[in-house]
Amino acid sequence: MKQMKPFTGKWRIVEMEVWGQEYVDMEVPGYIRIGSDGTGQFQFGLVSGDMDGRVEQCGNAPRFEFSWSGQEENDPVCGRGWAVIENGELNGRIYLHLADDSAFRAVKSA
């Protein structure tokens, strides 16, 4: 769990490759919350979910890899994703099963 510590906390999504910030913040300011046990939640736009993740070594850097299930506009949806910490930011990609995927960038919330 030691490798988990840098990823834990609430991260504010400040940029997504596919969706503009207006959509990301449509219902609430877009966020990713990661707990010390690897579980967490996220929401951007009308997509929200519960995550189950692990830290894996990817090259020289730890990478948080996760699966998730939730909803998009009240329809069940699931997927996977990953994130790394670069220059103090959380950068990664989230995949919606059989649908879109997008890179994201997030900063630690106070």
Side-chain angles (χ1 to χ4, degrees):
M1 288 300 172
K2 184 178 172 185
Q3 286 186 317
M4 206 59 232
K5 190 171 184 171
F7 294 94
T8 61
K10 187 172 181 178
W11 299 83
R12 168 86 167 93
I13 300 172
V14 295
E15 182 179 8
M16 294 193 83
E17 175 185 39
V18 174
W19 299 284
Q21 201 63 36
E22 187 175 310
Y23 176 77
V24 171
D25 298 336
M26 181 182 288
E27 288 191 334
V28 299
Y31 73 91
I32 299 169
R33 182 180 292 119
I34 302 171
S36 61
D37 62 354
T39 62
Q41 303 81 35
F42 71 87
Q43 182 168 349
F44 60 88
L46 301 175
V47 181
S48 63
D50 294 317
M51 302 183 306
D52 175 21
R54 309 283 184 279
V55 174
E56 301 289 339
Q57 200 64 26
C58 185
N60 293 328
R63 180 162 109 160
F64 180 67
E65 298 181 0
F66 60 93
S67 61
W68 65 271
S69 63
Q71 61 183 15
E72 178 180 22
E73 294 187 56
N74 295 321
D75 292 327
V77 66
C78 62
R80 62 187 174 88
W82 59 266
V84 295
I85 296 174
E86 298 171 328
N87 300 318
E89 295 182 340
L90 192 68
N91 293 290
R93 182 166 288 275
I94 189 162
Y95 300 84
L96 283 71
H97 186 66
L98 299 175
D100 294 320
D101 65 273
S102 179
F104 65 85
R105 185 170 65 88
V107 297
K108 198 83 172 235
S109 294

